[in-house]
């Protein structure tokens, strides 16, 4: 069996001359994407936004509104270019990029978490109170597992957004996928092929995320005893006939 | 066991309970009846600490639900105090409220394990006994959504009993069930009522059931007790016109 390394320089023609660079960019894209999502502080902030304490809620709200209300690009510029001027402290560009994307998408993610937690029926919490769970246990064993199912699909969208948003990092000279692509074109590679490859790679990555999230969603749905969404839809269609 | 002293409860502008006084002895079984909106559910929810009183006090086994002593002052109860008093109280809800993220066995064992620190094997052994009692021994690993309403409610009863409460609150536990499933749940509760020394506070519109299980019936209207007495007295010769009207309406429904 012959295995082909898709990043090898030995590939024929334009592929051989472009793929090593694109793969390198992909790696960074992925790193930023993963770093960004890990940083996505969605869970704690989302939970804070459902807190009983008004002060805690307020902090979460301010953060969420601020980062949703200003553009990622501007946030990037602030973290990378403006902060050193103000504080004399220069962040590494990858770190600044991951931080900015994490904070920005994290704000959207918190909203997802908040909505899902609030969507758990009140009776569930009340049953947990009646069974004398502590507030932490109510959240951990009753509310979150049920909210989790609701979070997966919107989080999937968010992760794909995050993947695509990494191309903004080229604005602070991080060599992401799009950045590498432009370099290749500038150094004389075939534009059409490079751009087609870019398209394909982005699409594959986001499809990979979707597949992964579908898997997670199915597991989560089974955990709360729901059918898989597709089967339910099929059955509804059948019933309608 | 349970004592209400001048309990008032308002939701915004709506006064649901005003100056309500009553008490329930240890081991006594009391049924609350009355028209919709008269505050029956609110009373149970106050006892379960799902709501807080607006005024007055509630004591369960000598402990105040809403306040605790700090030094020589009464301060609003904190979570620790609430958990202490909740230990004595269990509740079964109209809508069952089983946890969909757990199977039947877990539904029953999770609270004893997490909240009381009972070892899991011991909790499971107890749960299987309870499942046998509610006639669902074969369903330990079923998921709640695979059970009928009546079966779900019986699991919910087992789940409440697993915490070994001294007081059990039942809020219209059969009114969400299909008619043919009602008697199974009622028979179970009848057995539980007659074999244990549980203190039972029960809201129901099923007068035969109320007659079977209770020592005493309280008739409510607009957040106040209109009449109280033994089931025989209330159901056969009610003294108050409002009780007569209410019973008439329920029996003709
Ligand atoms: N959370 C709440 N907010 C506002 N009003 C409420 C709330 N809970 C109950 N009420 C009001 O309190 C009154 C008493 O309600 P409660 O549920 O105790 O009545 P009930 O006797 O149990 O009636 P039913 O037989 O219909 O169950 C009703 O008028 C209801 O609208
Ligand atoms: Mg009610």
């Amino acid at each position: 069996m012959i295995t082909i390394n898709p990043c090898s320089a030995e590939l024929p023609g334009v592929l051989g001359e472009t793929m090593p660079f694109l793969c390198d960019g992909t790696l960074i894209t992925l790193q930023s994407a993963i770093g960004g999502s890990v940083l996505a502080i969605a869970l704690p902030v989302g939970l804070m936004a459902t807190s009983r304490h008004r002060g805690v809620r307020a902090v979460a709200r301010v953060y969420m509104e601020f980062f949703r209300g200003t553009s990622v690009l501007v946030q990037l510029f602030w973290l990378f270019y403006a902060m050193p001027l103000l504080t004399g402290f220069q962040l590494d560009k990858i770190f600044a990029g991951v931080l900015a994307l994490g904070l920005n998408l994290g704000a959207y993610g918190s909203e997802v978490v908040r909505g899902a937690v609030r969507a758990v029926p009140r009776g569930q919490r009340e049953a947990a109170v009646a069974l004398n769970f502590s507030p932490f246990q109510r959240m951990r064993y009753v509310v979150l597992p049920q909210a989790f199912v609701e979070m997966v699909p919107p989080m999937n969208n968010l992760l794909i957004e995050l993947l695509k948003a990494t191309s903004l990092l080229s604005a602070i000279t991080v060599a992401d996928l799009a950045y590498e692509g432009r370099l290749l074109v500038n150094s004389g590679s075939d534009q059409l092929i490079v751009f087609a490859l870019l398209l394909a790679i982005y699409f594959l990555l986001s499809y990979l995320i979707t597949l992964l999230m579908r898997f997670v969603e199915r597991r989560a749905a089974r955990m709360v005893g729901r059918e898989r969404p597709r089967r339910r839809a099929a059955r509804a269609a059948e019933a309608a006939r | 066991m349970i004592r209400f002293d001048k309990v008032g409860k308002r939701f915004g502008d709506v006064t649901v309970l005003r100056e309500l006084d009553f008490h329930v002895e240890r081991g006594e079984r009391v049924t609350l009846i009355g028209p919709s909106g008269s505050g029956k559910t609110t009373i149970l929810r106050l006892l379960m600490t799902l709501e807080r009183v607006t005024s007055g006090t509630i004591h369960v086994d000598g402990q105040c639900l809403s306040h605790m002593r700090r030094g020589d002052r009464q301060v609003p109860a904190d979570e620790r105090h609430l958990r202490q008093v909740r230990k004595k109280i269990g509740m079964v809800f109209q809508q069952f409220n089983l946890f969909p993220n757990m199977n039947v066995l877990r539904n029953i064992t999770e609270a004893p394990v997490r909240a009381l620190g009972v070892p899991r094997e011991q909790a499971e052994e107890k749960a299987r006994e309870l499942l046998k009692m509610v006639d669902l021994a074969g369903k330990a690993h079923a998921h709640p959504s695979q059970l009928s309403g009546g079966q779900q409610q019986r699991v919910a009863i087992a789940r409440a009993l697993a915490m070994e409460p001294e007081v059990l609150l039942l809020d219209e536990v059969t009114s969400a069930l299909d008619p043919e499933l009602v008697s199974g749940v009622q028979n179970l509760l009848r057995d539980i009522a007659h074999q244990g020394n549980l203190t039972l506070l029960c809201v129901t519109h099923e007068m035969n059931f109320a007659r079977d299980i209770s020592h005493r019936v309280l008739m409510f209207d607009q957040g106040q007790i209109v009449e109280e007495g033994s089931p025989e007295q209330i159901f056969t010769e009610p003294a108050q016109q409002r009780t007569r009207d209410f019973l008439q309406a329920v029996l003709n429904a």
Side-chain angles (χ1 to χ4, degrees):
Chain A
M1 202 174 117
I2 317 159
T3 50
I4 300 169
N5 176 1
C7 297
S8 158
E10 262 107 76
L11 289 171
V14 203
L15 285 181
E17 103 199 12
T18 56
M19 279 317 280
F21 295 97
L22 288 181
C23 280
D24 188 34
T26 309
L27 217 70
I28 291 178
T29 305
L30 262 182
Q31 270 178 358
S32 332
I34 293 166
S37 20
V38 171
L39 246 185
I41 7 171
L43 192 67
V45 180
L47 291 183
M48 280 168 67
T50 64
S51 166
R52 275 176 306 162
H53 305 286
R54 190 186 292 172
V56 177
R57 279 204 310 271
V59 171
R61 279 260 58 105
V62 167
Y63 158 74
M64 284 154 76
E65 295 306 336
F66 179 79
F67 279 93
R68 287 192 306 174
T70 52
S71 98
V72 196
L73 206 54
V74 175
Q75 288 159 19
L76 266 179
F77 287 154
W78 269 92
L79 273 175
F80 190 64
Y81 295 120
M83 210 173 75
L85 300 180
L86 288 178
T87 64
F89 188 71
Q90 175 69 61
L91 289 175
D92 170 64
K93 60 187 174 186
I94 303 263
F95 184 69
V98 166
L99 192 65
L101 286 185
L103 284 170
N104 185 271
L105 274 295
Y108 289 90
S110 324
E111 189 61 47
V112 169
V113 171
R114 187 185 76 96
V117 164
R118 286 183 42 138
V120 173
R122 203 171 58 145
Q124 290 292 316
R125 273 171 215 272
E126 295 186 342
V129 170
L131 289 165
N132 217 354
F133 285 104
S134 71
F136 171 81
Q137 290 170 334
R138 296 199 284 262
M139 189 49 92
R140 168 68 185 76
Y141 301 111
V142 176
V143 176
L144 270 186
Q146 294 180 46
F148 184 67
V149 194
E150 304 295 324
M151 291 178 206
V152 180
M155 280 296 179
N156 181 16
N157 289 339
L158 214 57
L159 285 182
I160 292 172
E161 281 305 313
L162 181 55
L163 174 75
K164 291 187 290 191
T166 49
S167 62
L168 293 172
L169 295 187
S170 52
I172 56 170
T173 72
V174 174
D176 85 310
L177 190 55
Y179 184 85
E180 292 279 1
R182 242 175 300 147
L183 284 189
L184 281 171
V185 171
N186 289 346
S187 61
S189 297
D190 189 323
Q191 277 209 55
L192 276 180
I193 292 183
V194 170
F195 288 151
L197 284 173
L198 281 185
L199 215 57
I201 293 176
Y202 266 121
F203 178 76
L204 278 178
L205 286 177
S206 69
Y207 193 62
L208 212 67
I209 294 178
T210 300
L211 284 183
L212 195 76
M213 293 301 270
R214 265 199 213 141
F215 172 75
V216 174
E217 188 183 356
R218 270 203 295 274
R219 301 260 336 223
R222 213 170 311 139
M223 244 163 34
V224 298
R226 293 212 204 133
E227 298 183 64
R228 305 188 348 212
R230 222 181 310 155
R231 247 170 50 205
R232 197 167 48 196
R235 198 171 297 168
E238 206 167 286
R241 239 186 283 138
Chain B
M1 189 70 189
I2 299 173
R3 204 174 77 232
F4 276 56
D5 286 308
K6 297 204 178 352
V7 170
K9 177 66 187 171
R10 274 200 321 268
F11 292 106
D13 298 340
V14 190
T15 303
V16 180
L17 305 177
R18 51 170 75 82
E19 304 260 303
L20 179 66
D21 289 310
F22 77 93
H23 71 278
V24 176
E25 298 295 328
R26 182 182 290 274
E28 194 182 16
R29 300 190 293 274
V30 174
T31 298
L32 313 182
I33 61 171
S36 182
S38 58
K40 307 177 299 290
T41 296
T42 303
I43 289 171
L44 299 193
R45 291 175 56 83
L46 283 168
L47 273 166
M48 196 63 259
T49 67
L50 296 170
E51 308 279 358
R52 277 176 181 253
V53 293
T54 313
S55 60
T57 54
I58 302 173
H59 285 82
V60 173
D61 202 16
Q63 266 182 308
C64 183
L65 286 194
S66 52
H67 289 78
M68 58 183 194
R69 199 169 270 291
R70 180 173 292 155
D72 45 22
R73 283 185 316 135
Q74 293 284 22
V75 294
D78 63 11
E79 188 64 32
R80 227 177 99 227
H81 179 84
L82 287 177
R83 288 192 72 200
Q84 191 61 36
V85 290
R86 273 183 209 134
K87 258 193 202 156
K88 304 197 167 91
I89 311 171
M91 183 164 182
V92 181
F93 298 86
Q94 188 173 355
Q95 299 297 339
F96 334 135
N97 294 340
L98 293 184
F99 302 131
N101 53 319
M102 304 174 195
N103 67 17
V104 166
L105 193 66
R106 274 271 167 149
N107 260 281
I108 301 175
T109 56
E110 201 68 5
V113 170
R114 306 281 179 203
L116 298 181
V118 176
R120 190 168 286 283
E121 298 94 80
Q122 197 179 320
E124 287 189 356
E125 199 175 311
K126 177 92 187 288
R128 288 184 195 279
E129 267 169 43
L130 285 165
L131 279 174
K132 209 176 293 168
M133 182 186 83
V134 302
D135 209 13
L136 290 171
K139 299 286 187 188
H141 297 284
H143 188 271
S145 63
Q146 298 166 326
L147 304 182
S148 74
Q151 291 172 328
Q152 289 189 47
Q153 192 60 296
R154 282 184 278 153
V155 172
I157 292 168
R159 180 175 73 169
L161 292 178
M163 295 295 280
E164 304 189 341
E166 295 174 36
V167 178
L168 188 62
L169 311 174
L170 305 171
D171 190 10
E172 299 194 38
V173 292
T174 56
S175 54
L177 299 179
D178 292 336
E180 74 271 19
L181 301 175
V182 169
S183 65
V185 172
Q186 287 185 347
N187 290 338
L188 169 67
L189 287 171
R190 232 176 246 132
D191 290 346
I192 291 170
H194 288 126
Q195 64 188 226
N197 44 1
L198 266 177
T199 305
L200 214 58
L201 208 57
C202 169
V203 174
T204 183
H205 289 293
E206 311 268 346
M207 297 306 153
N208 285 325
F209 177 63
R211 191 195 306 252
D212 288 350
I213 68 158
S214 42
H215 297 121
R216 189 151 60 102
V217 176
L218 304 181
M219 164 74 195
F220 276 86
D221 195 17
Q222 298 178 355
Q224 284 175 318
I225 298 173
V226 181
E227 182 171 0
E228 67 169 285
S230 67
E232 292 73 36
Q233 191 249 307
I234 298 280
F235 293 132
T236 53
E237 40 180 353
Q240 300 290 327
Q241 187 59 40
R242 266 188 290 179
T243 313
R244 278 195 287 273
D245 293 344
F246 170 72
L247 289 173
Q248 189 104 54
V250 173
L251 295 176
N252 291 342

